[in-house]
Each structure stands twice: as structure tokens, then as C-alpha cells.
Amino acid sequence: MFTGIIEGRGTVVRLENHQDSDSATLVLDTGAAGNTAAGLPLGGSIAVNGVCLTAVRIDGATVEVDVMGETLQRTTTGSLAAGGTVNLERCVPAGGRLDGHVVQGHVDGVGALLERENQGNWDRLRFSVPTALSRYIAEKGSIAVDGVSLTVTAVSLPQEPQQWFEVGLIPVTLANTGLGGKEVGGQVNLEVDVLAKYAERLLQFAVPATGTAAHVATDSDTEGARQ
């Protein structure tokens, strides 16, 4: 479990794609701004650009993690290259402060930066969002963008062909996360509020007055109907 408060920046040493399986090994140098992995045990969790990954090898500030196919398909991890930088956060300890919001490190999809505009002492950023995820994003709600806990300041209307949301970044966020240098067109990992996803899932099992289970249409139902 994470909070979306980035603790440091790491550097990609290498990403090794395994030819015999749909997986990869990612090696990171976590010591660029203080060793973010200090005290991280083997098997411990670390969020890399918002993706919860497990440490399988630790050598000082160098951390190695395994990345499975599901993660490569749903996140930007597969596009990381040597020398690139990533946002890092250690898992929150029991009893620790929840400074951001509840972030699982389970990325729901990938968006892209559509616009950025300097507002003087802060920047306004607009990101695209997959249509299937847009219903979980609400104005003044929380979202994790590349692992950064942010407050949504504006959202697109449901009927708009391009779904989007906006956030405001203060100087400390611009300086201490990768979002400060993100260029228009750059991709980001998105994790929507887990409470919204669970609320929808519970509604799928709601029992109406007739005594039969109610069914809430999902994207998979719609896809099935088209086949």
C-alpha cells in the first residue's frame, strides 16, 4: 500500500526482456537523491512510476525487480530505457501518515499528456484517459499519475469523444517528480480511486425488490454484445 507521496527519483540501469517468456527484469539505481531503498527487504514492495513491484535482489542502492506480462501490457514499464528516471515510493508502514490517498500500485491504464500551461506559480496539466476509466474520475477526487497522488481539478463530459482530466501541480511536485519535465504526448500510468471501483463492483451484486440479482452493464458486456 502506498500514499502517492514520491520519496525520491531513481535511474533505470537496464530493462532486460526475457525472450522465452512474457516478462522482464528491471534494474534500478535508487540512490540518486538518497537511497530510497534503504531498509527495503527482499520481497518488499516499491512503487516505480506508480507500479507496485517486488524487490528480488538488492545490492546497496541497486534494486532488481521482476515484471510480468500483465504489468508490461497495462503500464509504461516496458518502454523504460537505461538512463531514464522514475518516481519511487516505499510501501507505507503500518501507522504511517496517509499524506496523499490510498494508492495500491495497481495501474488501471495508460494516459498521455495533452496540454500543459504555466499559471505563474503552478502548472495546469490535462491528460487523456481511456474511456473505460473516465467514469471513475471525479472533480476534486483523487488520482495517481505515475504514482503521484493528485487532486482532479476538471473532467471531460461523458459525451466527449476524447476523455480527459486536469490536475494542478505546485512547485514542489514539479521539482521532485517526473511530471515536472513531462512533455506533451508523454505517456503516464494511471490508477483511479479504488473506492470507486469497489462501489461499481458491489452494485453488480445488488439485489432488487424482485429478489433477483441486479446486473450493471460493464465494458465487457458491451464487447460481448458486439461479437
Side-chain angles (χ1 to χ4, degrees):
M1 193 68 67
F2 306 92
T3 68
I5 304 300
I6 302 304
E7 296 178 289
R9 303 276 288 150
T11 302
V12 177
V13 176
R14 62 183 180 276
L15 178 69
E16 302 172 358
N17 289 294
H18 302 157
Q19 300 302 318
D20 58 341
S21 64
D22 185 17
S23 62
T25 297
L26 175 63
V27 182
L28 301 167
D29 177 4
T30 68
N35 186 2
T36 309
L40 180 69
L42 284 177
S45 296
I46 187 168
V48 180
N49 277 352
V51 182
C52 178
L53 296 170
T54 301
V56 298
R57 180 175 171 273
I58 300 173
D59 182 7
T62 301
V63 177
E64 184 176 303
V65 296
D66 287 334
V67 187
M68 62 181 180
E70 172 78 1
T71 304
L72 293 171
Q73 293 169 17
R74 285 182 175 258
T75 76
T76 62
T77 307
S79 64
L80 294 177
T85 56
V86 290
N87 297 326
L88 298 176
E89 182 189 357
R90 285 282 312 276
C91 52
V92 64
R97 293 184 182 277
L98 188 61
D99 290 336
H101 74 282
V102 175
V103 176
Q104 294 182 300
H106 302 164
V107 171
D108 296 296
V110 173
L113 181 59
L114 298 176
E115 302 175 9
R116 72 178 308 146
E117 181 181 11
N118 181 264
Q119 301 291 316
N121 200 38
W122 60 282
D123 281 7
R124 176 188 63 82
L125 276 66
R126 175 177 290 193
F127 292 96
S128 66
V129 59
T131 301
L133 295 181
S134 59
R135 64 177 177 266
Y136 302 115
I137 304 173
E139 186 174 336
K140 302 308 177 186
S142 296
I143 190 167
V145 180
D146 270 353
V148 184
S149 174
L150 297 169
T151 300
V152 177
T153 57
V155 293
S156 55
L157 296 173
Q159 63 268 29
E160 293 184 47
Q162 172 68 78
Q163 293 293 292
W164 54 266
F165 68 92
E166 291 184 356
V167 294
L169 271 59
I170 60 175
V172 68
T173 306
L174 294 169
N176 295 326
T177 77
L179 297 180
K182 183 69 65 176
E183 296 182 354
V184 171
Q187 292 189 316
V188 291
N189 295 319
L190 301 175
E191 181 184 336
V192 299
D193 192 339
V194 65
L195 297 179
K197 292 185 288 185
Y198 273 116
E200 181 182 72
R201 181 61 173 163
L202 287 168
L203 284 173
Q204 293 177 358
F205 289 89
V207 179
T210 59
T212 59
H215 182 75
V216 178
T218 63
D219 290 334
S220 59
D221 297 326
T222 306
E223 183 66 28
R226 289 197 293 262
Q227 295 178 349

